[in-house]
């Protein structure tokens, strides 16, 4: 089972991987995913990111972290990381602010139903015009 939310739903531990399985990790988040606002960012439509922002300390790589390739654009504050084998956008790291957090693509989580999640739209282009490619 890929999802193990605790009994009161306030946190959960999730197993995740890219499509080919080269990259595998586990992440603890609070609240549990069914209560977590998942961000769909307007700038991320190309990559299909559905993002949550757990603490870096709460992600544990099982394999493949070193295999991830970087992609940066705009002001280069974000380092997007994707699997070079299957192309799955896995996560991104902040370079200059929110550096204790990490953006995780919940589409990598095992056994989740994307239709049951709570979404909020983020207008990334308005937040930072520098993000234009
Ligand atoms: Zn992969």
């Amino acid at each position: 089972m890929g999802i193990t939310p605790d009994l009161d739903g306030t946190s959960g531990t999730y197993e995740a991987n890219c499509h080919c399985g080269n990259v595998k990790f586990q992440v603890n988040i609070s609240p549990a995913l069914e209560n977590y606002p998942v961000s769909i960012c307007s700038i991320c439509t190309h990559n299909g990111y559905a993002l949550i922002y757990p603490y870096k300390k709460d992600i544990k790589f099982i394999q493949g972290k070193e295999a991830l390739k970087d992609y940066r654009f705009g002001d280069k504050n974000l380092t997007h990381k994707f699997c070079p084998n299957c192309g799955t956008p896995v996560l991104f790291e902040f370079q200059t602010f929110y550096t204790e957090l990490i953006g995780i693509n919940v589409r990598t989580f095992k056994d989740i139903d994307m239709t049951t999640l709570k979404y909020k739209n983020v207008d990334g282009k308005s937040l930072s015009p520098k993000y234009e490619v």
Side-chain angles (χ1 to χ4, degrees), residues 18-23 83-88:
C18 64
H19 189 265
C20 73
N22 280 353
V23 179
C83 174
N85 189 47
C86 66
T88 300

Side-chain angles (χ1 to χ4, degrees), residues 10-16 25-31 36 52-62 65 91 99-102 104 109:
T10 58
S11 66
T13 300
Y14 300 85
E15 294 173 10
F25 59 96
Q26 193 175 67
V27 62
N28 298 314
I29 61 172
S30 180
Y36 204 111
I52 60 170
Y53 301 96
Y55 288 99
K56 268 187 189 172
K57 66 178 176 56
D58 292 330
I59 183 170
K60 177 183 163 194
F61 273 88
I62 297 161
K65 184 180 182 186
L91 59 88
T99 53
E100 74 279 16
L101 302 178
I102 191 164
I104 299 285
F109 286 16

Side-chain angles (χ1 to χ4, degrees), residues 33-95:
L33 193 58
E34 64 265 28
N35 296 316
Y36 204 111
V38 176
S39 297
I40 304 293
C41 178
S42 60
I43 200 70
C44 302
T45 52
H46 288 81
N47 287 340
Y49 274 115
L51 291 165
I52 60 170
Y53 301 96
Y55 288 99
K56 268 187 189 172
K57 66 178 176 56
D58 292 330
I59 183 170
K60 177 183 163 194
F61 273 88
I62 297 161
Q63 69 177 45
K65 184 180 182 186
E66 67 289 339
L68 289 168
K69 294 293 184 188
D70 294 353
Y71 175 63
R72 296 187 180 105
F73 61 93
D75 63 8
K76 299 186 172 37
N77 178 56
L78 303 177
T79 300
H80 294 252
K81 297 206 174 256
F82 64 95
C83 174
N85 189 47
C86 66
T88 300
V90 176
L91 59 88
F92 67 78
E93 295 176 335
F94 297 94
Q95 299 303 308

